[in-house]
Amino acid sequence: MQTPDQQQHTAPHDPYKVADASATSAHGAETPAAASTTPSVLVTFGAPRSAQIRPGQRVRLPRLPDTQHPPAVMPPRGHTARTRRRVLQAGALVAAVVIGLVAVIAILSAPGPDPKDLVRAFFSQLTARDTSRLPAAAPCSRNPLCQPGTLRSGYQPPEHLRIESERSQAPSSPRPGTKERLVVVSYDVDGQHLTDAVTVLYQRTGIFSGFWSISDPPGSTITMPKPAIAPITLAAAKLDMAKPEEQTTFWAPPGRYTATRPGNALYEPAEATTIVADTPVTITLPATLKPTLTTHVEQQIHDRINACAAQREFKPDTDRSSPNLHNCPMVHLTPYAITTEPLWTVQRYPTIRLDTHPDGTVTVTTITPGKATIHYQYSLSILDPREWHTIDATYDLTVNGFARDIDGTTEWIPS
């Protein structure tokens, strides 16, 4: 039978066995019961007494090196797949949002048609004779050519459009973000090869957006005579009767234009054509009097002189409604109180000339006076039988005035 000391040496060595410090004292004797409250510590079984930790003793533990880290805690296998799937879904959502924003910005920042396309579209409208979609920069305020259907007739659009060159130039607008291009084009009108320049402007409307537009369209100004004779039609646009202070110059797109003016009792119908390109033009309509106008006016003058000569008066007048207006070209002032009725005889009618004026007025001017003779007798005796004396006097017949169209007929108005 083994002694306790032998049992202690023969017992298996368990390094994790807990030694109860309350069982023995430092000298191996039993401690009082009060010592049972001392906390237990973990020591290696079989360690010498000097290596054992006494109650209340501070123990300095070794510090791990900085290169060592605590082992990672691995999540359960099922949670790893679910987390990866959620991350992929979130990434796909973010990518879709970014792509959508990029698409919206690209749409908003699209400048629309480029300068060459805008120029081609402008000339396509002229080919279709459509002025309803002309660019906003076109000077269409009070412009008769900007009305719908004004190019349907009397107009030949340009043909064989060619873009010759395109270059950048300093913009006339000081606004930031603006750019300007000058597009040089050539085309044919009525067999003539012409060139023109179109200014296209880029305007910024936002941080990422802007657009090109025609700021100076092709074509030039056209000046029309004041349509005082009769209303003038340019292409299919009817021009109103202009007042002297009204502007008769306006912008016209390139092409060949025909201007017409109807005739009246005084003037022949008139027509003129012009080609508009990059230089201002003026249309002049001929003011041609009707060949029979002079004959009509002369006949009215002859009729008036004959009516005046038929009156047995020293101062004949065919219209006595106005005492201040004398419409007969002859008058004789006699100093005698006793006379016979005078007799007028027309020897020759005056020769006249008709002159036209820009406002359409036709004036009548005598270039060779006519001749009229008055014959009468006077007496100085108061009682019969009187003694009569004969007087014959000759006067020049001069007429002036205006020829007018009144309700489609010619009328001479003496002055």
PDB file of all heavy atoms in Angstrom, residues 148-174:
ATOM      1  N   PRO A 148     -47.861  82.212 -94.970  1.00  0.00           N
ATOM      2  CA  PRO A 148     -48.034  80.889 -95.594  1.00  0.00           C
ATOM      3  C   PRO A 148     -48.428  81.001 -97.064  1.00  0.00           C
ATOM      4  O   PRO A 148     -49.264  81.815 -97.440  1.00  0.00           O
ATOM      5  CB  PRO A 148     -49.152  80.247 -94.756  1.00  0.00           C
ATOM      6  CG  PRO A 148     -49.120  80.971 -93.446  1.00  0.00           C
ATOM      7  CD  PRO A 148     -48.712  82.376 -93.766  1.00  0.00           C
ATOM      8  N   GLY A 149     -47.800  80.178 -97.887  1.00  0.00           N
ATOM      9  CA  GLY A 149     -48.158  80.088 -99.298  1.00  0.00           C
ATOM     10  C   GLY A 149     -47.622  81.188-100.175  1.00  0.00           C
ATOM     11  O   GLY A 149     -47.966  81.250-101.363  1.00  0.00           O
ATOM     12  N   THR A 150     -46.740  82.056 -99.658  1.00  0.00           N
ATOM     13  CA  THR A 150     -46.276  83.189-100.468  1.00  0.00           C
ATOM     14  C   THR A 150     -45.262  82.782-101.529  1.00  0.00           C
ATOM     15  O   THR A 150     -44.964  83.585-102.414  1.00  0.00           O
ATOM     16  CB  THR A 150     -45.666  84.263 -99.566  1.00  0.00           C
ATOM     17  OG1 THR A 150     -44.648  83.673 -98.741  1.00  0.00           O
ATOM     18  CG2 THR A 150     -46.729  84.874 -98.674  1.00  0.00           C
ATOM     19  N   LEU A 151     -44.706  81.567-101.448  1.00  0.00           N
ATOM     20  CA  LEU A 151     -43.746  81.118-102.462  1.00  0.00           C
ATOM     21  C   LEU A 151     -44.341  80.066-103.386  1.00  0.00           C
ATOM     22  O   LEU A 151     -43.602  79.418-104.134  1.00  0.00           O
ATOM     23  CB  LEU A 151     -42.490  80.561-101.782  1.00  0.00           C
ATOM     24  CG  LEU A 151     -41.718  81.531-100.884  1.00  0.00           C
ATOM     25  CD1 LEU A 151     -40.461  80.863-100.340  1.00  0.00           C
ATOM     26  CD2 LEU A 151     -41.362  82.815-101.616  1.00  0.00           C
ATOM     27  N   ARG A 152     -45.645  79.901-103.371  1.00  0.00           N
ATOM     28  CA  ARG A 152     -46.278  78.866-104.192  1.00  0.00           C
ATOM     29  C   ARG A 152     -46.231  79.199-105.668  1.00  0.00           C
ATOM     30  O   ARG A 152     -46.258  78.304-106.520  1.00  0.00           O
ATOM     31  CB  ARG A 152     -47.735  78.665-103.743  1.00  0.00           C
ATOM     32  CG  ARG A 152     -47.884  78.130-102.335  1.00  0.00           C
ATOM     33  CD  ARG A 152     -47.262  76.755-102.208  1.00  0.00           C
ATOM     34  NE  ARG A 152     -47.380  76.216-100.862  1.00  0.00           N
ATOM     35  CZ  ARG A 152     -46.851  75.082-100.448  1.00  0.00           C
ATOM     36  NH1 ARG A 152     -46.104  74.380-101.297  1.00  0.00           N
ATOM     37  NH2 ARG A 152     -46.993  74.671 -99.222  1.00  0.00           N
ATOM     38  N   SER A 153     -46.146  80.456-106.011  1.00  0.00           N
ATOM     39  CA  SER A 153     -46.077  80.869-107.419  1.00  0.00           C
ATOM     40  C   SER A 153     -45.199  82.101-107.505  1.00  0.00           C
ATOM     41  O   SER A 153     -44.980  82.813-106.527  1.00  0.00           O
ATOM     42  CB  SER A 153     -47.479  81.164-107.974  1.00  0.00           C
ATOM     43  OG  SER A 153     -48.097  82.220-107.255  1.00  0.00           O
ATOM     44  N   GLY A 154     -44.687  82.360-108.736  1.00  0.00           N
ATOM     45  CA  GLY A 154     -43.822  83.507-108.934  1.00  0.00           C
ATOM     46  C   GLY A 154     -42.488  83.392-108.249  1.00  0.00           C
ATOM     47  O   GLY A 154     -41.813  84.416-108.041  1.00  0.00           O
ATOM     48  N   TYR A 155     -42.058  82.164-107.916  1.00  0.00           N
ATOM     49  CA  TYR A 155     -40.797  81.957-107.210  1.00  0.00           C
ATOM     50  C   TYR A 155     -40.145  80.684-107.709  1.00  0.00           C
ATOM     51  O   TYR A 155     -40.815  79.651-107.886  1.00  0.00           O
ATOM     52  CB  TYR A 155     -41.045  81.854-105.706  1.00  0.00           C
ATOM     53  CG  TYR A 155     -39.819  81.455-104.915  1.00  0.00           C
ATOM     54  CD1 TYR A 155     -38.791  82.353-104.672  1.00  0.00           C
ATOM     55  CD2 TYR A 155     -39.701  80.164-104.404  1.00  0.00           C
ATOM     56  CE1 TYR A 155     -37.672  81.983-103.952  1.00  0.00           C
ATOM     57  CE2 TYR A 155     -38.582  79.783-103.674  1.00  0.00           C
ATOM     58  CZ  TYR A 155     -37.579  80.694-103.441  1.00  0.00           C
ATOM     59  OH  TYR A 155     -36.471  80.321-102.729  1.00  0.00           O
ATOM     60  N   GLN A 156     -38.845  80.760-107.962  1.00  0.00           N
ATOM     61  CA  GLN A 156     -38.057  79.589-108.334  1.00  0.00           C
ATOM     62  C   GLN A 156     -36.988  79.381-107.278  1.00  0.00           C
ATOM     63  O   GLN A 156     -36.110  80.227-107.092  1.00  0.00           O
ATOM     64  CB  GLN A 156     -37.406  79.767-109.699  1.00  0.00           C
ATOM     65  CG  GLN A 156     -36.529  78.589-110.116  1.00  0.00           C
ATOM     66  CD  GLN A 156     -35.853  78.819-111.446  1.00  0.00           C
ATOM     67  OE1 GLN A 156     -36.370  79.543-112.301  1.00  0.00           O
ATOM     68  NE2 GLN A 156     -34.686  78.233-111.635  1.00  0.00           N
ATOM     69  N   PRO A 157     -37.022  78.264-106.535  1.00  0.00           N
ATOM     70  CA  PRO A 157     -36.043  78.045-105.458  1.00  0.00           C
ATOM     71  C   PRO A 157     -34.667  77.687-106.009  1.00  0.00           C
ATOM     72  O   PRO A 157     -34.527  77.302-107.173  1.00  0.00           O
ATOM     73  CB  PRO A 157     -36.650  76.884-104.673  1.00  0.00           C
ATOM     74  CG  PRO A 157     -37.468  76.135-105.689  1.00  0.00           C
ATOM     75  CD  PRO A 157     -38.002  77.172-106.630  1.00  0.00           C
ATOM     76  N   PRO A 158     -33.650  77.795-105.175  1.00  0.00           N
ATOM     77  CA  PRO A 158     -32.299  77.388-105.593  1.00  0.00           C
ATOM     78  C   PRO A 158     -32.237  75.878-105.864  1.00  0.00           C
ATOM     79  O   PRO A 158     -33.000  75.092-105.289  1.00  0.00           O
ATOM     80  CB  PRO A 158     -31.413  77.774-104.403  1.00  0.00           C
ATOM     81  CG  PRO A 158     -32.223  78.761-103.629  1.00  0.00           C
ATOM     82  CD  PRO A 158     -33.655  78.382-103.834  1.00  0.00           C
ATOM     83  N   GLU A 159     -31.312  75.487-106.718  1.00  0.00           N
ATOM     84  CA  GLU A 159     -31.122  74.076-107.064  1.00  0.00           C
ATOM     85  C   GLU A 159     -29.654  73.706-106.897  1.00  0.00           C
ATOM     86  O   GLU A 159     -28.777  74.557-106.872  1.00  0.00           O
ATOM     87  CB  GLU A 159     -31.561  73.822-108.513  1.00  0.00           C
ATOM     88  CG  GLU A 159     -33.027  74.122-108.771  1.00  0.00           C
ATOM     89  CD  GLU A 159     -33.392  73.964-110.241  1.00  0.00           C
ATOM     90  OE1 GLU A 159     -32.495  74.186-111.094  1.00  0.00           O
ATOM     91  OE2 GLU A 159     -34.542  73.612-110.535  1.00  0.00           O
ATOM     92  N   HIS A 160     -29.411  72.386-106.772  1.00  0.00           N
ATOM     93  CA  HIS A 160     -28.056  71.817-106.720  1.00  0.00           C
ATOM     94  C   HIS A 160     -27.239  72.448-105.596  1.00  0.00           C
ATOM     95  O   HIS A 160     -26.154  73.005-105.819  1.00  0.00           O
ATOM     96  CB  HIS A 160     -27.332  71.991-108.056  1.00  0.00           C
ATOM     97  CG  HIS A 160     -28.141  71.544-109.231  1.00  0.00           C
ATOM     98  ND1 HIS A 160     -28.365  72.339-110.330  1.00  0.00           N
ATOM     99  CD2 HIS A 160     -28.814  70.384-109.479  1.00  0.00           C
ATOM    100  CE1 HIS A 160     -29.115  71.692-111.205  1.00  0.00           C
ATOM    101  NE2 HIS A 160     -29.396  70.491-110.714  1.00  0.00           N
ATOM    102  N   LEU A 161     -27.770  72.361-104.374  1.00  0.00           N
ATOM    103  CA  LEU A 161     -27.066  72.916-103.217  1.00  0.00           C
ATOM    104  C   LEU A 161     -25.769  72.147-102.970  1.00  0.00           C
ATOM    105  O   LEU A 161     -25.733  70.920-103.011  1.00  0.00           O
ATOM    106  CB  LEU A 161     -27.965  72.843-101.976  1.00  0.00           C
ATOM    107  CG  LEU A 161     -27.303  73.244-100.657  1.00  0.00           C
ATOM    108  CD1 LEU A 161     -27.003  74.731-100.653  1.00  0.00           C
ATOM    109  CD2 LEU A 161     -28.181  72.856 -99.477  1.00  0.00           C
ATOM    110  N   ARG A 162     -24.695  72.897-102.663  1.00  0.00           N
ATOM    111  CA  ARG A 162     -23.410  72.303-102.340  1.00  0.00           C
ATOM    112  C   ARG A 162     -22.830  73.036-101.133  1.00  0.00           C
ATOM    113  O   ARG A 162     -22.830  74.269-101.097  1.00  0.00           O
ATOM    114  CB  ARG A 162     -22.441  72.401-103.525  1.00  0.00           C
ATOM    115  CG  ARG A 162     -22.839  71.558-104.726  1.00  0.00           C
ATOM    116  CD  ARG A 162     -21.986  71.869-105.938  1.00  0.00           C
ATOM    117  NE  ARG A 162     -22.264  73.198-106.454  1.00  0.00           N
ATOM    118  CZ  ARG A 162     -23.250  73.465-107.335  1.00  0.00           C
ATOM    119  NH1 ARG A 162     -24.030  72.492-107.780  1.00  0.00           N
ATOM    120  NH2 ARG A 162     -23.435  74.702-107.764  1.00  0.00           N
ATOM    121  N   ILE A 163     -22.372  72.245-100.136  1.00  0.00           N
ATOM    122  CA  ILE A 163     -21.680  72.822 -98.981  1.00  0.00           C
ATOM    123  C   ILE A 163     -20.203  72.957 -99.363  1.00  0.00           C
ATOM    124  O   ILE A 163     -19.490  71.969 -99.513  1.00  0.00           O
ATOM    125  CB  ILE A 163     -21.830  71.942 -97.730  1.00  0.00           C
ATOM    126  CG1 ILE A 163     -23.315  71.698 -97.431  1.00  0.00           C
ATOM    127  CG2 ILE A 163     -21.129  72.577 -96.540  1.00  0.00           C
ATOM    128  CD1 ILE A 163     -24.087  72.899 -97.009  1.00  0.00           C
ATOM    129  N   GLU A 164     -19.753  74.187 -99.524  1.00  0.00           N
ATOM    130  CA  GLU A 164     -18.391  74.420 -99.975  1.00  0.00           C
ATOM    131  C   GLU A 164     -17.375  74.358 -98.834  1.00  0.00           C
ATOM    132  O   GLU A 164     -16.314  73.751 -98.972  1.00  0.00           O
ATOM    133  CB  GLU A 164     -18.296  75.784-100.677  1.00  0.00           C
ATOM    134  CG  GLU A 164     -19.194  75.927-101.898  1.00  0.00           C
ATOM    135  CD  GLU A 164     -18.774  75.003-103.038  1.00  0.00           C
ATOM    136  OE1 GLU A 164     -17.652  74.460-102.995  1.00  0.00           O
ATOM    137  OE2 GLU A 164     -19.575  74.820-103.976  1.00  0.00           O
ATOM    138  N   SER A 165     -17.700  74.949 -97.706  1.00  0.00           N
ATOM    139  CA  SER A 165     -16.761  74.956 -96.590  1.00  0.00           C
ATOM    140  C   SER A 165     -17.503  75.289 -95.310  1.00  0.00           C
ATOM    141  O   SER A 165     -18.645  75.772 -95.333  1.00  0.00           O
ATOM    142  CB  SER A 165     -15.623  75.971 -96.818  1.00  0.00           C
ATOM    143  OG  SER A 165     -16.150  77.294 -96.873  1.00  0.00           O
ATOM    144  N   GLU A 166     -16.821  75.023 -94.195  1.00  0.00           N
ATOM    145  CA  GLU A 166     -17.347  75.348 -92.871  1.00  0.00           C
ATOM    146  C   GLU A 166     -16.173  75.713 -91.976  1.00  0.00           C
ATOM    147  O   GLU A 166     -15.189  74.977 -91.892  1.00  0.00           O
ATOM    148  CB  GLU A 166     -18.118  74.161 -92.281  1.00  0.00           C
ATOM    149  CG  GLU A 166     -18.645  74.426 -90.875  1.00  0.00           C
ATOM    150  CD  GLU A 166     -19.289  73.195 -90.251  1.00  0.00           C
ATOM    151  OE1 GLU A 166     -19.326  72.144 -90.934  1.00  0.00           O
ATOM    152  OE2 GLU A 166     -19.715  73.283 -89.101  1.00  0.00           O
ATOM    153  N   ARG A 167     -16.278  76.852 -91.320  1.00  0.00           N
ATOM    154  CA  ARG A 167     -15.192  77.283 -90.448  1.00  0.00           C
ATOM    155  C   ARG A 167     -15.763  77.983 -89.225  1.00  0.00           C
ATOM    156  O   ARG A 167     -16.856  78.552 -89.267  1.00  0.00           O
ATOM    157  CB  ARG A 167     -14.239  78.209 -91.184  1.00  0.00           C
ATOM    158  CG  ARG A 167     -14.807  79.562 -91.562  1.00  0.00           C
ATOM    159  CD  ARG A 167     -13.752  80.475 -92.173  1.00  0.00           C
ATOM    160  NE  ARG A 167     -14.244  81.801 -92.468  1.00  0.00           N
ATOM    161  CZ  ARG A 167     -14.801  82.182 -93.596  1.00  0.00           C
ATOM    162  NH1 ARG A 167     -14.963  81.288 -94.574  1.00  0.00           N
ATOM    163  NH2 ARG A 167     -15.206  83.435 -93.767  1.00  0.00           N
ATOM    164  N   SER A 168     -14.974  77.914 -88.144  1.00  0.00           N
ATOM    165  CA  SER A 168     -15.361  78.592 -86.914  1.00  0.00           C
ATOM    166  C   SER A 168     -14.949  80.054 -86.987  1.00  0.00           C
ATOM    167  O   SER A 168     -13.978  80.418 -87.656  1.00  0.00           O
ATOM    168  CB  SER A 168     -14.696  77.924 -85.710  1.00  0.00           C
ATOM    169  OG  SER A 168     -15.103  76.581 -85.593  1.00  0.00           O
ATOM    170  N   GLN A 169     -15.708  80.880 -86.294  1.00  0.00           N
ATOM    171  CA  GLN A 169     -15.384  82.291 -86.225  1.00  0.00           C
ATOM    172  C   GLN A 169     -15.808  82.820 -84.862  1.00  0.00           C
ATOM    173  O   GLN A 169     -16.569  82.177 -84.136  1.00  0.00           O
ATOM    174  CB  GLN A 169     -16.070  83.082 -87.343  1.00  0.00           C
ATOM    175  CG  GLN A 169     -17.575  83.036 -87.317  1.00  0.00           C
ATOM    176  CD  GLN A 169     -18.181  83.806 -88.488  1.00  0.00           C
ATOM    177  OE1 GLN A 169     -17.504  84.186 -89.437  1.00  0.00           O
ATOM    178  NE2 GLN A 169     -19.479  84.038 -88.437  1.00  0.00           N
ATOM    179  N   ALA A 170     -15.270  83.976 -84.522  1.00  0.00           N
ATOM    180  CA  ALA A 170     -15.573  84.571 -83.225  1.00  0.00           C
ATOM    181  C   ALA A 170     -17.049  84.919 -83.160  1.00  0.00           C
ATOM    182  O   ALA A 170     -17.575  85.600 -84.042  1.00  0.00           O
ATOM    183  CB  ALA A 170     -14.726  85.818 -83.006  1.00  0.00           C
ATOM    184  N   PRO A 171     -17.746  84.441 -82.121  1.00  0.00           N
ATOM    185  CA  PRO A 171     -19.185  84.726 -82.048  1.00  0.00           C
ATOM    186  C   PRO A 171     -19.443  86.199 -81.784  1.00  0.00           C
ATOM    187  O   PRO A 171     -18.689  86.868 -81.073  1.00  0.00           O
ATOM    188  CB  PRO A 171     -19.661  83.847 -80.889  1.00  0.00           C
ATOM    189  CG  PRO A 171     -18.455  83.621 -80.053  1.00  0.00           C
ATOM    190  CD  PRO A 171     -17.279  83.616 -80.998  1.00  0.00           C
ATOM    191  N   SER A 172     -20.482  86.705 -82.394  1.00  0.00           N
ATOM    192  CA  SER A 172     -20.867  88.102 -82.172  1.00  0.00           C
ATOM    193  C   SER A 172     -21.539  88.296 -80.827  1.00  0.00           C
ATOM    194  O   SER A 172     -21.583  89.405 -80.317  1.00  0.00           O
ATOM    195  CB  SER A 172     -21.813  88.559 -83.289  1.00  0.00           C
ATOM    196  OG  SER A 172     -22.940  87.700 -83.364  1.00  0.00           O
ATOM    197  N   SER A 173     -22.056  87.199 -80.240  1.00  0.00           N
ATOM    198  CA  SER A 173     -22.723  87.287 -78.945  1.00  0.00           C
ATOM    199  C   SER A 173     -21.691  87.122 -77.835  1.00  0.00           C
ATOM    200  O   SER A 173     -20.882  86.192 -77.870  1.00  0.00           O
ATOM    201  CB  SER A 173     -23.806  86.217 -78.819  1.00  0.00           C
ATOM    202  OG  SER A 173     -24.349  86.203 -77.509  1.00  0.00           O
ATOM    203  N   PRO A 174     -21.701  87.990 -76.804  1.00  0.00           N
ATOM    204  CA  PRO A 174     -20.721  87.858 -75.716  1.00  0.00           C
ATOM    205  C   PRO A 174     -21.108  86.824 -74.675  1.00  0.00           C
ATOM    206  O   PRO A 174     -20.393  86.657 -73.695  1.00  0.00           O
ATOM    207  CB  PRO A 174     -20.713  89.276 -75.121  1.00  0.00           C
ATOM    208  CG  PRO A 174     -22.108  89.783 -75.351  1.00  0.00           C
ATOM    209  CD  PRO A 174     -22.556  89.175 -76.664  1.00  0.00           C
TER     210      PRO A 174
END
